[in-house]
Amino acid sequence: MPKFDKGKSVKISEMALVCQRQIVLRCSWRKLPPRISVSYTIPQQAFATAKKVADKESKVPQHPVFPSINEEDLLPKTVVDLKLVQLLEKLSLVDFANMEGLVRLKAAISMADKLSVVNTEGVEPLVTVLENRSLTLAEDEVRSGDMSEELLACAKETIEDYFVVPPGNITYTEQKGYHHELENSDEDT
Amino acid sequence: MNRLMGSIGDVVSQLKQRALSSMELCEAALQRQDSVARLHPFITCTSDVARESASLSQKRYGSGENRGPLDGIPVAVKDNFCTSGIQTTCGSVMLQNYVPTYSATVVKRLQKAGAVIVGKTNLDEFGMGSGTIDSTFGPSKNIYRSGIKYDLLLSNREPDGLDSRFPTAAVEDEDWYVAGGSSGGSAVSVASGSTFLALGSDTGGSVRNPASYCGVVGLKPSYGLVSRCGLISLVNSMDVPGLFGRYVDDVAAMLSVVSGLDPQDATTVPSDLQSLQLPENPSLEGLVIGIPKEYHCPGMKKEVIDTWTKVADLMENCGAQVREVSLPHTKYSIICYSVLNPCEVASNFTRYTGVFYGHRVESSHSMEAMYALTRSAGLNDVVKGRILAGNYFLLKENKNRYFKQALKVRRLISQDFDKVWSSGVDLLLTPVTLSTAVRYSEFNNVDNRTQQATQDFCTQAANMAGVPAVNIPISLNTEGLPISLQLMAPWGQDAALLSAAKWIEQHVNFPRLQVLE
């Protein structure tokens, strides 16, 4: 198996000609440093274009590119107060407007705030990556039906053909009382 | 069990020649599922359905007809795809008792092609996570160094070619390596040989991340090529059904079966992938491979960089043109995702009320109370946190600053890719994860959000732009864990992407894991 020395030009005729379909690197490829001196067998079709790359630097950056976001450019932090929490809970109905929920929310906002440094003047929002394509809408035809039994079977509370829900005109959040706890607790921003 | 090791091409030949029967194959797969049960790749084992499908497949082979490359092949389905009559939980208490009345389009297509569905796999709850440790049903564990006995073979075509360079024994202190997420169960199912193929879903890297950690091929197709009908929504504008397999050819076969326009999903587009056939010996001739410099981010392990370097150099030596490129808005991708994901989640998850399906906590006096208690009990903290955050970003006074801004940044990220493709680059080669699989003890020290933010760095942008991306296992490190790389291509170029992936697969000879039973 011919080896290629760095810095030395290689004659095509020195490369081993093997009638294989694939290029096969012998076992040592894992131990190769970024600058490679390679021994390999070359298929006939790649013969004409085979290049020696041994001397070039790898195209892969060997040092990290640091994604710095200048904190000073950020807009002032939002204050997450009780009123905000009540509003969010009303919209979310997840019973998570407690201390832990708040901590998570603040962390999420803190991360999202970093977006404000990006200059998006004149940039249109991208809602879907398919915006330039014509998408097919389904025909307005009934394709399935008569499944009321199967569908009702999915629900826990049903009466006859009805899904059952408690009365809907009572706001939950005001009754909870944990907002009172939040007000009194020691919050750190 | 050599029959579970091969590519589906090999297996289908054997099935055609009657050297192997579909029932035998099905039993072998179910048996393997049992042997690796403690890795917990599956939430539900669908052995009855599987045996029925296998029996029908066997009859077909008997009468000389077969439905194509997937006929009789055991496959797994991530548990956020609806399967009619089979519980579909999304790894959550909320849907623990949910049995869909319909099947996802991709599931129907797999069944029509004769695939044998052996189980529903584990996932981070509702697809939110990058470790598959946030599932109600417990974590899924990586098969590597798990205590399950396995050999590493240099090539499954040479069974004597044992690779003894790498440790395979369990790690100490009963620790284990995470499978990655959120489609960890599917990745482990394929890596362990329980199935040849698996369905996953990829919204921020949820197929490529576990594929990287578990050493299997993981494809995120172009957005719009594979139907999302029946895939329980996370982020409608980014979700894509993803495919796992041990060979690129196998994944290509699966793609040809599941892709294509679906009248029930208005975000699908027509494609000609149904007749996808990868070249037997793909070539790099004339290809320009881009190396985006920003993907070498702080915290990336040296062994990943070395692998990236070697493969890039290898491709250059073998006829491709390799050049450094820049995707300047990469650093904003995770932040952008951290806004867009919760916004869509807040909207999508309003459906979970306990009224029509799913978990329900009784509260007789008010509907809102019932909703709040149900949702609180049914959804875990990660999910609840995202709903709250999403509603915050969508408030009238915040919409421009967060939601609209994120949508604009998304366009900038997408334009980064467009500029690179226009400059003549055909494919991008990047790492997938910052390291090999992380130990559970380490992984669990960091909260879900931070974990995702770190590990999704290289995978997230492809979902922003909707471009296809594939994870290819390259080698093992000194701990015996897989190191993988990612290829990305312009939207719609999935065939070219898989061709190049196949080239890499053929040239790196990744040691193949064979479970010993």
Side-chain angles (χ1 to χ4, degrees):
Chain A
M1 199 56 54
K3 284 212 158 53
F4 305 110
D5 297 324
K6 277 196 285 189
K8 201 177 162 212
S9 68
V10 181
K11 281 201 220 137
I12 300 258
S13 57
E14 286 175 300
M15 295 180 181
L17 260 187
V18 180
C19 288
Q20 279 183 27
R21 295 292 213 80
Q22 296 178 28
I23 297 174
V24 175
L25 277 189
R26 294 301 166 118
C27 57
S28 60
W29 85 273
R30 278 178 194 81
K31 301 200 191 79
L32 296 176
R35 288 193 196 193
I36 300 173
S37 60
V38 163
S39 70
Y40 51 86
T41 55
I42 309 166
Q44 250 174 326
Q45 59 263 42
F47 195 61
T49 54
K51 301 185 276 203
K52 182 175 85 88
V53 212
D55 265 350
K56 291 197 196 145
E57 287 283 347
S58 176
K59 305 298 186 304
V60 171
Q62 297 302 305
H63 301 285
V65 172
F66 280 84
S68 60
I69 292 169
N70 202 351
E71 301 270 336
E72 286 151 15
D73 295 336
L74 295 177
L75 296 168
K77 282 191 181 194
T78 314
V79 172
V80 183
D81 64 6
L82 187 59
K83 194 154 167 260
L84 177 67
V85 164
Q86 282 175 326
L87 175 61
L88 287 180
E89 180 53 40
K90 192 171 168 169
L91 295 169
S92 310
L93 286 179
V94 285
D95 203 11
F96 202 44
N98 51 25
M99 285 316 297
E100 204 207 319
L102 260 199
V103 166
R104 281 182 189 254
L105 179 63
K106 284 179 185 173
I109 296 171
S110 184
M111 189 180 203
D113 275 339
K114 294 181 185 159
L115 272 186
S116 58
V117 307
V118 186
N119 182 2
T120 53
E121 206 171 307
V123 180
E124 286 298 304
L126 179 72
V127 173
T128 171
V129 300
L130 301 175
E131 63 186 2
N132 293 324
R133 272 158 239 281
S134 185
L135 301 177
T136 324
L137 291 177
E139 289 301 318
D140 189 14
E141 59 185 1
V142 175
R143 289 156 143 259
S144 64
D146 284 332
M147 288 183 72
S148 52
E149 256 186 67
E150 291 93 323
L151 294 172
L152 285 166
C154 290
K156 263 192 180 171
E157 281 283 319
T158 57
I159 292 175
E160 299 283 314
D161 276 359
Y162 295 90
F163 296 100
V164 177
V165 282
N169 55 349
I170 300 160
T171 318
Y172 171 67
T173 52
E174 279 150 19
Q175 301 170 317
K176 228 325 184 143
Y178 54 60
H179 299 129
H180 183 70
E181 284 166 35
L182 281 175
E183 213 169 29
N184 295 338
S185 73
D186 209 18
E187 268 193 68
D188 59 280
T189 340
Chain B
M1 281 280 154
N2 279 339
R3 56 192 63 169
L4 294 173
M5 276 286 291
S7 72
I8 64 175
D10 291 341
V11 171
V12 166
S13 303
Q14 290 179 53
L15 288 171
K16 281 189 181 153
Q17 291 158 21
R18 321 284 287 281
L20 176 64
S21 80
S22 306
M23 289 296 293
E24 282 172 343
L25 190 58
C26 176
E27 289 308 320
L30 291 171
Q31 210 171 41
R32 177 62 58 83
Q33 216 187 103
D34 266 332
S35 327
V36 301
R38 63 187 182 78
L39 301 179
H40 199 227
F42 290 91
I43 293 177
T44 307
C45 173
T46 55
S47 48
D48 293 337
V49 163
R51 288 187 174 116
E52 213 183 287
S53 304
S55 163
L56 291 170
S57 168
Q58 188 157 315
K59 290 200 180 78
R60 283 194 293 272
Y61 278 111
S63 62
E65 74 164 287
N66 87 301
R67 292 202 181 154
L70 261 48
D71 202 338
I73 300 291
V75 306
V77 174
K78 185 176 179 184
D79 210 15
N80 61 352
F81 285 91
C82 288
T83 40
S84 182
I86 301 168
Q87 78 173 18
T88 299
T89 68
C90 289
S92 174
V93 170
M94 181 59 82
L95 293 180
Q96 206 167 357
N97 63 350
Y98 174 58
V99 178
T101 54
Y102 72 106
S103 285
T105 299
V106 289
V107 169
K108 284 196 285 200
R109 287 178 179 175
L110 283 175
Q111 286 171 325
K112 190 149 171 257
V116 173
I117 298 175
V118 295
K120 305 294 296 294
T121 58
N122 200 15
L123 66 161
D124 280 304
E125 184 164 330
F126 281 109
M128 301 190 197
S130 54
T132 314
I133 60 169
D134 278 322
S135 164
T136 300
F137 303 97
S140 289
K141 301 180 183 180
N142 200 322
I143 190 171
Y144 284 88
R145 309 294 303 277
S146 61
I148 302 261
K149 293 200 175 7
Y150 58 87
D151 274 338
L152 293 166
L153 307 180
L154 275 170
S155 162
N156 79 310
R157 282 165 175 71
E158 298 158 16
D160 299 322
L162 272 180
D163 195 337
S164 47
R165 291 169 292 161
F166 306 101
T168 62
V171 289
E172 67 282 358
D173 297 329
E174 298 190 4
D175 203 354
W176 42 275
Y177 287 98
V178 299
S182 61
S183 315
S186 287
V188 174
S189 142
V190 170
S192 66
S194 308
T195 59
F196 288 83
L197 297 165
L199 268 180
S201 67
D202 193 312
T203 306
S206 292
V207 160
R208 293 160 286 152
N209 175 301
S212 166
Y213 285 174
C214 294
V216 295
V217 177
L219 170 70
K220 181 201 94 65
S222 302
Y223 181 87
L225 291 188
V226 184
S227 171
R228 288 181 300 113
C229 174
L231 166 60
I232 295 174
S233 308
L234 177 60
V235 179
N236 297 5
S237 67
M238 292 184 219
D239 288 348
V240 180
L243 317 181
F244 290 93
R246 284 192 301 280
Y247 296 89
V248 175
D249 273 328
D250 293 1
V251 169
M254 192 180 183
L255 184 64
S256 73
V257 164
V258 300
S259 62
L261 189 68
D262 180 12
Q264 293 186 289
D265 179 355
T267 60
T268 52
V269 298
S271 77
D272 55 5
L273 286 172
Q274 287 86 314
S275 51
L276 175 63
Q277 273 280 330
L278 297 181
E280 206 180 302
N281 291 297
S283 151
L284 296 182
E285 215 54 48
L287 280 184
V288 178
I289 314 282
I291 308 287
K293 63 183 185 197
E294 290 85 1
Y295 279 64
H296 185 162
C297 59
M300 188 163 284
K301 291 277 179 327
K302 185 167 184 311
E303 59 195 8
V304 175
I305 302 296
D306 286 346
T307 305
W308 188 17
T309 306
K310 280 174 196 167
V311 174
D313 292 351
L314 170 64
M315 294 177 96
E316 194 164 23
N317 287 337
C318 294
Q321 228 195 89
V322 176
R323 56 169 102 135
E324 190 184 87
V325 297
S326 175
L327 294 170
H329 293 93
T330 304
K331 66 190 176 197
Y332 299 115
S333 189
I334 291 287
I335 305 166
C336 190
Y337 183 66
S338 81
V339 172
L340 293 179
N341 178 305
C343 288
E344 293 211 33
V345 161
S347 170
N348 278 328
F349 280 58
T350 54
R351 69 190 64 173
Y352 300 113
T353 59
V355 177
F356 303 110
Y357 48 77
H359 190 64
R360 178 172 177 144
V361 173
E362 272 324 310
S363 166
S364 51
H365 73 288
S366 109
M367 188 180 81
E368 283 204 4
M370 192 273 270
Y371 280 17
L373 292 172
T374 296
R375 289 154 69 81
S376 178
L379 304 170
N380 74 7
D381 290 349
V382 176
V383 179
K384 287 189 283 207
R386 292 203 196 178
I387 293 172
L388 269 184
N391 278 321
Y392 174 78
F393 298 137
L394 290 170
L395 288 175
K396 220 162 38 176
E397 68 257 27
N398 290 337
K399 216 166 178 176
N400 279 329
R401 174 172 161 169
Y402 293 102
F403 185 59
K404 286 261 160 69
Q405 175 73 347
L407 289 177
K408 293 177 181 181
V409 173
R410 184 175 181 179
R411 184 176 293 282
L412 291 174
I413 293 167
S414 184
Q415 282 174 346
D416 277 357
F417 280 96
D418 290 337
K419 289 187 186 128
V420 163
W421 308 135
S422 317
S423 74
V425 170
D426 298 302
L427 298 161
L428 294 170
L429 178 72
T430 75
V432 189
T433 46
L434 275 63
S435 66
T436 51
V438 179
R439 291 222 191 166
Y440 174 68
S441 47
E442 250 181 78
F443 191 89
N444 209 27
N445 283 335
V446 181
D447 71 283
N448 180 298
R449 213 179 37 80
T450 315
Q451 199 61 259
Q452 265 206 300
T454 328
Q455 294 298 337
D456 280 357
F457 188 91
C458 298
T459 53
Q460 219 300 303
N463 297 86
M464 284 290 167
V467 296
V470 65
N471 176 87
I472 310 146
I474 308 292
S475 61
L476 298 176
N477 71 358
T478 48
E479 312 278 298
L481 299 169
I483 305 175
S484 308
L485 291 178
Q486 169 176 246
L487 276 177
M488 292 189 273
W491 187 93
Q493 298 288 312
D494 301 55
L497 179 78
L498 288 175
S499 264
K502 184 172 174 179
W503 187 96
I504 295 179
E505 175 186 70
Q506 287 173 334
H507 290 77
V508 300
N509 214 6
F510 177 69
R512 299 216 163 259
L513 189 151
Q514 176 171 259
V515 170
L516 301 167
E517 282 165 315

